[in-house]
Amino acid sequence: MVCTDITMEDLITIHHEMGHIQYFLQYKDQPVSFRDGANPGFHEAVGDVLALSVSTPGHLKKIGLLKTVQDDYEADINYMLSIALDKIAFLPFGYLMDAYRWSIFSGETKMDDLNKKWWQLRECLQGISPPLSRPKTSFDAGAKYHIPANVPYIRYFISVILQFQLHEKLCEVANQTGPLHKCDIYQSKEAGAVLGDMLKLGSSKPWPEALEIITGTSKLSASSLVKYFKPLIDWLKANNTGHRVGWDMDTCPFQLPLQHDLLAILQKWPETATSNGNSCGTGFSLILVLCTVKYTFSPYI
């Protein structure tokens, strides 16, 4: 049972949860061992794919929750910015949660440095510092439920990338020809059939094969995410001209090649998602940092 309020947040949440339920229903005829998502990120992404359509002003008007829709450039930017603050701003945190644990499991981070490592990642990837000096005897990471409960977190990071990739292809199947941020696959039987074909597999096939059913490729890619937010990226570039964006990287414990352009890096992903030799980890983390530094934490947010 879910106790909801009549709010936009709960409308999105309920569609996310219904995505999980629809996945359960679709793979119910699989052997017990295969009654699961293609990978954990898929289960999280399915509901969010639905939410990308549900949250559009056009959809809200279609179902009677909005009387009118302001259809102009400023409204589009405001809408994409609200979505970016939910999706893009989450990516650094979604990555560092398991990057932190992996560093402990590998032996890179010693027991005496648990709190130090946590704040190094928070400062480097998110630009967040503790309000007070934190002693090494503290365990601030434990305030996040998933850490002490041993719940893997990379699934949520993957789901953000994946949901935009699925969204773009489902929009194509639904014959939606407008910009991605306005696409609504509501009542498209064609899109539903393609999505259902993937969901029915459960975990009976390797996840790249499940991905290929919808997207035509077995590779995870952030290009759809970039395409979705391209108007916002252009707007932020124009409006940030002459302004310093981000935080003082001199105090960051890692070296980040910030001279690279976000768009170029994302368009080349996943080729860049390999070890680049810096202590911040992989090309994966570069995507996160550049998203955050150059575009999310702007003077206009």
Side-chain angles (χ1 to χ4, degrees), residues 74-247:
E74 183 177 359
D76 284 351
I77 293 299
N78 287 337
Y79 173 70
M80 280 184 283
L81 190 55
S82 71
I83 300 299
L85 286 170
D86 177 35
K87 306 292 185 181
I88 303 299
F90 168 79
L91 283 172
F93 185 72
Y95 173 75
L96 73 83
M97 280 281 289
D98 277 354
Y100 171 70
R101 286 186 281 198
W102 294 336
S103 73
I104 296 171
F105 299 153
S106 70
E108 174 195 341
T109 298
K110 307 304 179 184
M111 294 301 292
D112 288 343
D113 294 327
L114 293 183
N115 217 43
K116 177 182 177 182
K117 181 66 173 183
W118 174 253
W119 283 110
Q120 282 181 342
L121 288 169
R122 295 294 299 273
E123 292 173 5
C124 177
L125 298 180
Q126 290 188 284
I128 296 175
S129 297
L132 300 172
S133 178
R134 303 300 298 147
K136 70 176 184 179
T137 54
S138 295
F139 184 55
D140 296 331
K144 178 61 176 171
Y145 166 81
H146 297 69
I147 296 288
N150 195 32
V151 178
Y153 212 76
I154 198 67
R155 67 184 67 178
Y156 302 107
F157 172 79
I158 294 297
S159 75
V160 174
I161 305 296
L162 178 61
Q163 65 191 251
F164 287 96
Q165 191 173 0
L166 298 178
H167 179 66
E168 180 178 12
K169 293 304 178 181
L170 291 174
C171 289
E172 291 178 7
V173 173
N175 292 317
Q176 297 277 326
T177 57
L180 278 182
H181 65 273
K182 292 185 177 182
C183 171
D184 177 16
I185 63 172
Y186 179 57
Q187 294 182 326
S188 170
K189 293 182 179 180
E190 295 80 9
V194 171
L195 181 60
D197 287 343
M198 184 201 78
L199 302 184
K200 286 183 175 70
L201 292 176
S203 59
S204 65
K205 299 289 184 182
W207 71 261
E209 293 184 26
L211 177 64
E212 192 168 8
I213 289 177
I214 293 182
T215 65
T217 177
S218 60
K219 292 185 177 181
L220 196 64
S221 172
S223 60
S224 297
L225 182 150
V226 173
K227 184 176 180 180
Y228 184 99
F229 289 110
K230 183 63 165 60
L232 177 62
I233 292 172
D234 292 340
W235 183 88
L236 287 171
K237 281 183 176 180
N239 283 274
N240 281 329
T241 301
H243 294 276
R244 184 181 181 276
V245 180
W247 51 88

Side-chain angles (χ1 to χ4, degrees), residues 28-74:
K28 65 181 176 60
D29 295 325
Q30 288 285 350
V32 174
S33 298
F34 296 143
R35 293 177 194 171
D36 205 347
N39 71 35
F42 273 67
H43 234 301
E44 297 302 327
V46 170
D48 286 337
V49 168
L50 305 181
L52 286 174
S53 289
V54 170
S55 62
T56 59
H59 179 84
L60 297 177
K61 183 176 185 295
K62 192 181 299 182
I63 63 175
L65 293 180
L66 280 181
K67 292 183 179 179
T68 60
V69 173
Q70 183 179 344
D71 189 11
D72 57 36
Y73 179 70
E74 183 177 359

